[in-house]
Amino acid sequence: MAETIVELRNITKAFPGVIANDNISLEINKGEIFALLGENGAGKSTLMSILFGMYEPEEGEIYVRGEKVNLSSSKDATALNIGMVHQHFKLVSNYTITENIVLGDEPVKHVGPFSWVDLKGASEKIRALSLDYGLEVNPDDKIEDIPVSTQQRVEILKMLYRDAEILIFDEPTSVLTPQEIEYLLEIMEELRRSGKTIILITHKLEEIKQVADRCAILLRGKLVGVYDVAETSTQQMANLMVGKEIDFEIQKDEQKSGDIVLETNGMTVFDDRGVKAVDDVSLQIREGEILAIAGVSGNGQTEIADAIAGLMDLTEGSIFLHGQEITKLSIKERINSGISYIPEDRQRDGLIMDLSLSSNLAIKTFDKKPFAKRGILQEKAFDKHAEQLIEEYDIRSGQGADTITRSMSGGNQQKAIVAREIELESDLMIFVQPTRGLDVGAINNIHRQILEEREKGKAILLVSLELDEVMALADTIAVIFRGKIIKTDQAAKLSKEEVGQYMMGVTQ
Ligand SMILES: Nc1ncnc2c1ncn2[C@@H]1O[C@H](COP(=O)(O)OP(=O)(O)O)[C@@H](O)[C@H]1O
Ligand SMILES: [Mg+2]
């Protein structure tokens, strides 16, 4: 008989305008990998933040090891051996790994009247933990010098250092390459073997299939049910998660070869720290072609997109659109000459957060018909346009077209930008991480929209950290490593594993 380690009883938590968790009851068994699945905004992070003491629910009770507990801070959770790795890591970049791990829990050594922080002892404990679980790190490295996958290991070590027995992972694989994901899943299995309990929040059904024992599905704040993973197919899980049947088959017709739309020659870009981010990159994209840049985050891919859109200057090289040089044009001139852009940081570059959804959806064209006639803004046209896009792209918000954008969930803000940029009907569309953080239903929808644009003969530059997305959409794949394109080939000629290898800089 499985032993219950955590019980959530009738948990309810509301935020303004939304019930994030609606009367949820769950039991988690000691020593299992328990997955939590649901669309964006389903309430997964909120529920686990409650278990980690970061939010207090309006209603409901929590039992840990059979005892009712009161969690009013993450300290309380830590004391109950609960740990959490958040979606966005919480590390101090100019501290070493050891300093980060002990932060807030510094080991003080006393000898006679003296006392000091015993970093050496801490380093040894970290080395031992790292050996035990295969979490390779060098405790003296600084966070700013190590890749994201290693930072994640630091977060895991931080939990283990505090003797966590119940480990919560909030979408841990979204920042990793396929090889790194495999490795992380193996570590989770190792943790389970040593008796730990793991709660894994993820969108990725394959991962759940691979490691989880049971899976709870949330839909708009409510618990749909808890399922035995071995007895549930990924298609069933996906349907339960969105509350309807979804059709995963994406139709991708053969590419029709057209004229060259975008060409870059020897493009070189330095970032704001003076580091060469893009190094001599030459690319071509034709009508009806999706060229995807694959790479591990931070290898220069976003700078390529920024430079083509006009947000960063080239120090060398040139950019041509339909044979016309645009290297020196302003952002606005580039939009007018036919470039759509979905930037990586949508809150900073993509939307004006304090304006309504309808204004944001028309922000690049408000000075043109039908939004302006003889210089007068046509309010009805804004609303009509907004309502059409809300419907077509399933943009969910509290008050429809009038919703203030800031109050929308990140996933729905993202859908709004994608809708607006596609509707511009530009000849070149640049999509940087168009589906980041979205759930399978929304991802599927955006993929269809992108392929429709390709069918219409648009040239598409896709920058994505999701290899599955690259493999599903690209006609051509260019792999970037440290600012250089180290491999370009037709997507059909490359396997996912090969691309993963190139992403790590392996060229053999
Ligand atoms: N701090 C917050 N303030 C207001 N609303 C929030 C906050 N955190 C989450 N929400 C809302 O609660 C709902 C559930 O969010 P979340 O738990 O983050 O979902 P998930 O992790 O499943 O994507 C969403 O509608 C989200 O917009
Ligand atoms: Mg979340």
Side-chain angles (χ1 to χ4, degrees), residues 15-16 18 20 39-47 55 409:
F15 292 112
V18 55
E39 295 185 292
N40 289 111
K44 308 178 294 293
S45 296
T46 302
L47 189 63
Y55 293 134
S409 75

Side-chain angles (χ1 to χ4, degrees), residues 357-380:
L357 176 57
S358 69
S359 305
N360 268 298
L361 287 172
I363 215 149
K364 288 191 169 172
T365 41
F366 71 92
D367 50 352
K368 300 199 182 75
K369 276 185 188 171
F371 305 113
K373 278 189 193 153
R374 283 174 244 101
I376 299 166
L377 292 183
Q378 306 293 309
E379 222 170 286
K380 281 215 177 89

Side-chain angles (χ1 to χ4, degrees), residues 311-427:
L311 274 68
M312 289 181 97
D313 292 330
L314 270 57
T315 45
E316 268 169 75
S318 49
I319 309 171
F320 292 85
L321 191 68
H322 290 302
Q324 303 277 329
E325 182 159 6
I326 61 164
T327 321
K328 294 272 184 295
L329 296 190
S330 69
I331 299 172
K332 181 81 184 164
E333 286 166 328
R334 292 185 208 210
I335 295 170
N336 289 337
S337 60
I339 298 182
S340 283
Y341 186 37
I342 291 162
E344 170 154 57
D345 188 341
R346 48 214 183 213
Q347 301 212 342
R348 197 191 66 202
D349 301 324
L351 296 165
I352 301 183
M353 302 304 282
D354 291 320
L355 286 185
S356 67
L357 176 57
S358 69
S359 305
N360 268 298
L361 287 172
I363 215 149
K364 288 191 169 172
T365 41
F366 71 92
D367 50 352
K368 300 199 182 75
K369 276 185 188 171
F371 305 113
K373 278 189 193 153
R374 283 174 244 101
I376 299 166
L377 292 183
Q378 306 293 309
E379 222 170 286
K380 281 215 177 89
F382 279 87
D383 286 343
K384 192 164 161 239
H385 172 76
E387 271 145 30
Q388 185 201 326
L389 296 190
I390 287 169
E391 167 79 32
E392 202 171 320
Y393 293 83
D394 187 27
I395 306 168
R396 296 180 200 169
S397 64
Q399 286 117 11
D402 297 330
T403 309
I404 295 302
T405 308
R406 186 181 299 287
S407 74
M408 292 167 56
S409 75
N412 284 293
Q413 291 173 3
Q414 176 77 346
K415 289 189 217 166
I417 299 185
V418 171
R420 178 187 72 204
E421 296 298 316
I422 288 182
E423 290 303 304
L424 285 177
E425 308 247 315
S426 306
D427 292 342

Side-chain angles (χ1 to χ4, degrees), residues 252 255 282-285 289-295 460-464 466-480 485-500 502-503:
K252 183 162 173 247
Q255 188 197 342
S282 301
L283 296 170
Q284 281 186 349
I285 312 178
E289 177 182 23
I290 299 179
L291 180 133
I293 300 183
I460 293 165
L461 174 65
L462 171 69
V463 173
S464 178
E466 291 293 338
L467 246 188
D468 287 328
E469 177 162 84
V470 168
M471 300 312 291
L473 298 178
D475 297 300
T476 309
I477 297 177
V479 186
I480 192 164
I485 300 292
I486 59 167
K487 176 80 182 173
T488 308
D489 210 337
Q490 290 169 22
K493 292 192 179 154
L494 292 167
S495 71
K496 186 173 161 185
E497 286 65 34
E498 281 174 287
V499 178
Y502 285 115
M503 284 166 61

Side-chain angles (χ1 to χ4, degrees), residues 190-208:
E190 181 62 40
L191 290 164
R192 172 174 55 191
R193 270 193 292 279
S194 67
K196 310 276 186 196
T197 305
I198 293 175
I199 304 173
L200 169 63
I201 301 180
T202 180
H203 286 133
K204 297 179 186 162
L205 305 164
E206 298 303 330
E207 289 167 9
I208 294 181

Side-chain angles (χ1 to χ4, degrees), residues 24-72:
I24 294 182
S25 299
L26 278 181
E27 286 180 20
I28 294 164
N29 297 330
K30 184 171 188 312
E32 74 173 333
I33 299 183
F34 186 90
L36 201 52
L37 176 68
E39 295 185 292
N40 289 111
K44 308 178 294 293
S45 296
T46 302
L47 189 63
M48 287 304 115
S49 299
I50 289 172
L51 178 57
F52 193 55
M54 293 167 68
Y55 293 134
E56 281 191 71
E58 276 89 57
E59 277 170 55
E61 292 158 5
I62 299 173
Y63 295 79
V64 176
R65 298 178 195 90
E67 295 206 18
K68 186 165 174 219
V69 296
N70 221 331
L71 298 165
S72 46

